[in-house]
Every structure is written in C-alpha cells, then in structure tokens.
Amino acid sequence: GAVVSQHPSWVICKSGTSVKIECRSLDFQATTMFWYRQFPKQSLMLMATSNEGSKATYEQGVEKDKFLINHASLTLSTLTVTSAHPEDSSFYICSAKSAGALVTEAFFGQGTRLTVV
Amino acid sequence: AQSVTQLGSHVSVSEGALVLLRCNYSSSVPPYLFWYVQYPNQGLQLLLKYTTGATLVKGINGFEAEFKKSETSFHLTKPSAHMSDAAEYFCAVMYSSASKIIFGSGTRLSIRP
C-alpha cells in the first residue's frame, strides 16, 4: 500500500510556542489530506480536510486560526499548532488520499504525540 | 446524520476463541466500510475494506468482515484470537470517494491467556 510519513513522531514544546507537524505522501500524489486529533482512549476526531492548493475546510468547533493547515503541494501538508497550551496535548494523525472516483482508501501517517508543558 | 456505531468499548476473549467486534452504520446508501487496527502510540493500519462486490471481505491477520445491508452492519470476526491481536479497533465509513472518513468510537480488544 501507499506510504504516508508523518514527522515528528513526538514533540514536547513550551506553552505559548508553535509546533509544526508534517505529513508527506511518499509514493503517490495526495490531492486530499485529512488531519485528525485523538485523545487518550478515544476515537479519531476529524479536525480539517485540505485539498491541494485550496484553503482547508475545518470541522465545527476547530479553531482555524489556532490550527493552521497548509497543503501547498501534492505530497506535503503541514499542521501548525499556534500558541500551544497544555490542553492541545494530544495525538495528531494525518491521512492522505489521491483523486479519482475509484479511489476508496485513505492512508494514514504514524501519528505525532504532542505534549505541551 | 451519517454515523458509525461500535457496540462495546472493550471486548475480552480468551486466546484461541472467536473474536467478534460489532459495527453498524447509519445510511440509506451503502457506504464504503473499513476496519482499522491501532497499536499504542501508533497510526492506523487497514485490516480490510468493503467497497462493492462480495459482501464477505477477508483482510490481514486472519480477520474478515461481512457487509449486511439489511442490518446496516459490518462486524469484524476472527475464528481464533492470538495474543498479538490485542489492540484498539476502529470501524470507519466513507460515503463517497470524495468524502471524509468517519470513525466509530473504537473497541479495545484484550486477549486472555
């Protein structure tokens, strides 16, 4: 299957600073990327959907000014958590899929554990 | 609203016993259906998926799932549990190739020796 690489796998940052997480599709062109957030022992909650070259579509309740998403190329999307606070500590997972009516699968990165201290 | 429901947040079975994890979706139009497994602090691994065609889908690690339209279900089974199957399992749906993937709440599978 296709490979999605997410970096870093874990990061610790001080409260008030910003953190950038990268999501790369290594062997296919990802026209759409999804960013999820997962709290301990909970499911994945979709934060936003981004299409290459377009502004991301955020789910209800997700602050677009706090979670900046950029999808400038067909192989890279980034999530920047701005002015991070301890409550932003979570596991963030990206997912990518290519275009086409026959495409029925998205591929997931290995996740990023963010801890804000 | 479109949703997916996993019955049972925690399932415990003995090693060698049948594994049954339940998943139901809400839609009048059959969606694409997926089962993923997640090990601690890791991303998701696709076990199997249903798109069209045969309703009994075989996946990796001996898992299979059957799409039952009349019951709007897509339960995951494995005839004989192994200790390495202990993980979190997520059922997910996608209502078109252009839509987002919606996840169920997850079921934690524990295996007793």
Side-chain angles (χ1 to χ4, degrees), chain A residues 2 28-32 34 96-107, chain B residues 32 34 49 51 94-99 101:
Chain A
F28 68 101
Q29 293 186 328
T31 51
T32 304
F34 306 92
K97 67 193 294 279
S98 56
L102 299 180
V103 174
T104 57
E105 184 175 347
F107 300 94
Chain B
Y32 302 127
F34 308 85
K49 66 177 180 178
T51 54
M94 185 166 69
Y95 286 93
S96 73
S97 61
S99 73
I101 297 176

Side-chain angles (χ1 to χ4, degrees), chain B residues 82-105:
Chain B
H82 191 273
M83 296 300 292
S84 61
D85 294 327
E88 190 83 19
Y89 291 80
F90 293 98
C91 181
V93 299
M94 185 166 69
Y95 286 93
S96 73
S97 61
S99 73
K100 57 192 177 186
I101 297 176
I102 301 171
F103 285 87
S105 55

